[in-house]
Amino acid sequence: MAIRNPLVPADRWLLLAAAFVLGNLALLTALAPPAHRAGLLALAAAWSITALLLRAAARRYTPQAPAVLLPAALTLSGWG
């Protein structure tokens, strides 16, 4: 019985987008004054939850969609 790779190409792009956005938020959190850190951590958590929910919805409702559209949109929204 062969083990199937659970990471499809869209997931790899999404992991790259998450690393970029969450890495930038981590750097911003480290440089932010203590009063703003909780808000930045909440922003990182909200972005992560949104990314996971959108990934699940995209895999269910649009399995033929190009693999880079969702990660590209999430990267731009997280970066902006």
Side-chain angles (χ1 to χ4, degrees):
M1 179 190 243
I3 296 175
R4 202 181 79 160
N5 187 0
L7 283 178
V8 295
D11 291 339
R12 290 185 181 122
W13 284 109
L14 190 59
L15 285 175
L16 183 64
F20 179 76
V21 170
L22 295 177
N24 283 334
L25 282 172
L27 180 63
L28 201 64
T29 302
L31 297 175
H36 294 97
R37 288 185 182 154
L40 289 170
L41 292 174
L43 180 64
W47 187 90
S48 300
I49 291 169
T50 303
L52 290 174
L53 291 174
L54 283 173
R55 176 194 164 267
R59 287 184 82 178
R60 180 174 182 182
Y61 295 115
T62 58
Q64 296 86 10
V68 295
L69 287 181
L70 179 63
L74 286 170
T75 301
L76 291 174
S77 69
W79 195 11

